[in-house]
Amino acid sequence: MRYLLILFLCFTTVKGYSQDSTATKIPTKVKGTIISSTTEGPLSEVNIVNINQVKGVATDDNGEFQISAKANDTLHLSYLGYKSIKVRVTNDWLKFGNTEIVMTELALALEEVTVKQLELTGYLEVDMKQVPIQSNNRYRISGLYGQGYEAGKPNIATKVLGAIFNPADFLYNMFGKKPNEMHKLKKMKEDDEIRNQLAKRFDREMLLVLLQVNKFDLDEIVNQCNYSKDFINTANDLQILDAISECYEEYKVIKRSKDRKKGRKKGKA
């Protein structure tokens, strides 16, 4: 009888501990409310991205949001006309729920732009020289899938073919050294909220944060993927994302081909 009582007490203790653990389980989402430092009112349509999990949401009309996160994840908050900020997710935030976050307004100064009107003379040979040239032709390399390349220079084919057979080219170094960031490309393309946010943006800020590159490297990646300056200057962030993603997939095909050739050479040796 005494042994039965001990077993019963043990079972009760384990069950109670299990219930306590379940009750105190840390949630996997954080909630927050974003307000303006100027108006002290809520900000709607603020872009929130979990950099670690590559998940995105936007605040509602009350400035509130909820996003998947765990402790030590970093949230990137951005809103037109306000300074972007990064917020670290803590255990306390996960446990105790809604947190109020203040964003500071920026003073925006627009540069004066002078538009030069074309002055046509009526002589075709003279007038044609005044028309700006849009160098955004596209072409394809046989054997590589995708929608093709966008060329910006007459000798671009030589440049691309040189890159294919040069293992130390810029794309090889950029893509090869950033496998984790490049893996995020796929996750970014699968998240509808992030795609919607990127389609409205032209500042490259969210891409820079998620891919962990600077503005120069991002432009150089797209340039080395043989997209023209016209495309780089006018494309929205979603178009840039798709361009890099397409280029990365083709890079992997080229790299696998190189690796197979090296393997065959070693086998013959």
Side-chain angles (χ1 to χ4, degrees):
M1 185 70 180
R2 185 173 63 183
Y3 292 113
L4 290 175
L5 179 61
I6 293 173
L7 288 173
F8 176 76
L9 291 173
C10 290
F11 176 76
T12 303
T13 302
V14 171
K15 183 177 180 181
Y17 176 78
S18 176
Q19 290 176 343
D20 290 341
S21 299
T22 302
T24 59
K25 183 180 179 181
I26 298 176
T28 57
K29 291 188 176 183
V30 291
K31 300 178 181 179
T33 302
I34 301 179
I35 63 174
S36 167
S37 63
T38 306
T39 66
E40 297 184 353
L43 292 174
S44 61
E45 297 301 321
V46 176
N47 297 327
I48 301 102
V49 174
N50 186 324
I51 299 174
N52 303 81
Q53 299 187 24
V54 196
K55 297 288 185 181
V57 296
T59 55
D60 59 20
D61 293 338
N62 298 318
E64 298 177 352
F65 71 91
Q66 178 175 293
I67 189 170
S68 298
K70 62 179 184 297
N72 296 320
D73 279 358
T74 298
L75 306 184
H76 181 263
L77 285 60
S78 59
Y79 187 67
L80 183 64
Y82 284 74
K83 182 179 180 181
S84 299
I85 58 176
K86 292 181 181 179
V87 182
R88 178 84 55 166
V89 177
T90 63
N91 283 318
D92 287 344
W93 187 1
L94 288 165
K95 288 180 182 177
F96 301 120
N98 199 311
T99 294
E100 191 174 271
I101 303 172
V102 179
M103 295 188 71
T104 304
E105 191 171 3
L106 288 173
L108 298 179
L110 296 178
E111 296 182 1
E112 183 178 351
V113 177
T114 302
V115 179
K116 182 180 180 181
Q117 186 176 4
L118 293 179
E119 298 178 357
L120 301 180
T121 64
Y123 293 95
L124 182 61
E125 184 177 353
V126 176
D127 292 341
M128 284 183 63
K129 294 180 180 179
Q130 298 188 57
V131 179
I133 299 174
Q134 300 295 323
S135 55
N136 56 356
N137 301 315
R138 293 179 66 88
Y139 68 92
R140 288 183 47 79
I141 294 179
S142 178
L144 295 182
Y145 62 89
Q147 297 179 355
Y149 294 91
E150 183 171 352
K153 299 179 181 179
N155 63 342
I156 200 71
T158 304
K159 181 179 180 181
V160 175
L161 292 175
I164 290 176
F165 297 106
N166 179 10
D169 69 283
F170 182 84
L171 292 180
Y172 183 90
N173 289 328
M174 286 300 298
F175 287 147
K177 291 180 179 179
K178 293 182 176 293
N180 293 332
E181 283 72 17
M182 293 301 106
H183 179 67
K184 288 182 179 180
L185 284 174
K186 183 177 180 181
K187 299 180 71 174
M188 290 164 67
K189 288 173 66 68
E190 292 174 348
D191 190 290
D192 291 336
E193 182 59 39
I194 288 182
R195 290 185 65 84
N196 291 336
Q197 292 181 17
L198 291 175
K200 304 173 185 177
R201 303 179 68 119
F202 291 82
D203 58 8
R204 314 292 189 248
E205 181 183 351
M206 192 179 295
L207 290 175
L208 299 179
V209 170
L210 288 169
L211 295 178
Q212 296 296 297
V213 296
N214 58 41
K215 181 67 164 58
F216 174 81
D217 284 344
L218 182 67
D219 288 345
E220 191 63 19
I221 288 174
V222 183
N223 181 55
Q224 293 293 333
C225 287
N226 302 306
Y227 285 86
S228 67
K229 290 184 178 180
D230 295 326
F231 173 80
I232 296 173
N233 292 333
T234 60
N236 61 37
D237 288 5
L238 179 58
Q239 291 172 315
I240 294 293
L241 169 66
D242 289 337
I244 295 176
S245 179
E246 178 184 334
C247 186
Y248 180 52
E249 292 303 318
E250 294 182 349
Y251 153 79
K252 290 194 296 185
V253 172
I254 295 170
K255 187 175 184 301
R256 284 196 296 266
S257 177
K258 288 181 180 179
D259 292 341
R260 283 196 295 267
K261 288 181 179 178
K262 288 181 179 179
R264 286 196 294 267
K265 289 181 179 179
K266 289 182 179 179
K268 293 179 180 179

